[in-house]
Amino acid sequence: MNYIDTATIPKPRTWDVEPNPAAIRPTRQLVRSIAASWRVPLTDNALRDVELCTAELLANAIEHVEERCRVTVRWTGTRLRVEVADCSPQPPVSKPADDMAPGGRGLLLVGALAHSWGWHPVEAGKVVWFEVARDEGVTGDARLAALVLAAQPRAQHVGRTSKKDLRAEAVR
């Protein structure tokens, strides 16, 4: 076996993120730059979807847990996987959103744009994850429908930070 010709899978990258909406944009950009440095074979649209899904998972953790979370990015050889771990044992809830509701569309968007997503409990909370496959990106009408769903208006404030502010930060 020639070890020079053998592909290697890069070591996963993990870091902590403060519970601040201002951390969403640089985190999603970092995820994309990691994928680029690994030369992950995803289209530009797929990488934008990775950024958007990352932002949604982070926004959920910031909004619902309000404590530091941990982001892990890994390349499996066929899929880019992003995980957001937080200290809450409560499972994520994906439910149909009322058109006038201030939020509730994030996981619907992740479900529409990612190849797969899910969550699992860990000792100190849970990990919510999504994966994007290199050859199975969401395109055409399905992608447009997911983006329209995410863009619907959100107007109420919740707690210290409004959902509108969180989502606005997520898509910037």
Side-chain angles (χ1 to χ4, degrees):
M1 173 183 250
N2 182 348
Y3 291 101
I4 295 174
D5 295 331
T6 304
T8 60
I9 295 177
K11 182 179 176 184
R13 297 272 309 270
T14 300
W15 66 98
D16 290 339
V17 177
E18 294 298 321
N20 183 336
I24 295 172
R25 185 176 188 193
T27 300
R28 66 186 262 177
Q29 290 171 336
L30 179 57
V31 168
R32 185 180 180 127
S33 70
I34 289 169
S37 73
W38 289 344
R39 298 178 189 208
V40 170
L42 295 176
T43 65
D44 196 48
N45 278 344
L47 287 171
R48 278 193 292 257
D49 293 346
V50 166
E51 282 189 86
L52 187 54
C53 291
T54 299
E56 291 296 340
L57 294 190
L58 276 174
N60 283 345
I62 290 169
E63 177 183 337
H64 297 293
V65 181
E66 298 180 346
E67 293 196 28
R68 180 181 294 184
C69 58
R70 175 161 285 186
V71 175
T72 301
V73 180
R74 65 182 84 239
W75 173 245
T76 69
T78 57
R79 295 181 181 179
L80 185 70
R81 181 179 177 111
V82 178
E83 302 171 351
V84 176
D86 63 50
C87 63
S88 171
Q90 296 299 316
V93 178
S94 178
K95 57 186 174 187
D98 178 343
D99 286 345
M100 298 308 291
R105 295 171 188 84
L107 291 177
L108 295 172
L109 181 66
V110 172
L113 296 178
H115 177 261
S116 59
W117 79 276
W119 75 280
H120 59 272
V122 292
E123 202 171 296
K126 69 178 172 300
V127 174
V128 184
W129 57 269
F130 70 89
E131 295 179 339
V132 175
R134 66 179 175 178
D135 58 351
E136 297 181 34
V138 178
T139 60
D141 291 343
R143 187 171 196 282
L144 179 59
L147 295 173
V148 167
L149 175 69
Q152 291 179 353
R154 296 158 179 94
Q156 291 180 328
H157 287 275
V158 176
R160 291 172 276 158
T161 305
S162 74
K163 290 182 181 182
K164 182 179 179 183
D165 292 342
L166 281 170
R167 300 301 181 219
E169 187 64 36
V171 296
R172 255 196 257 153

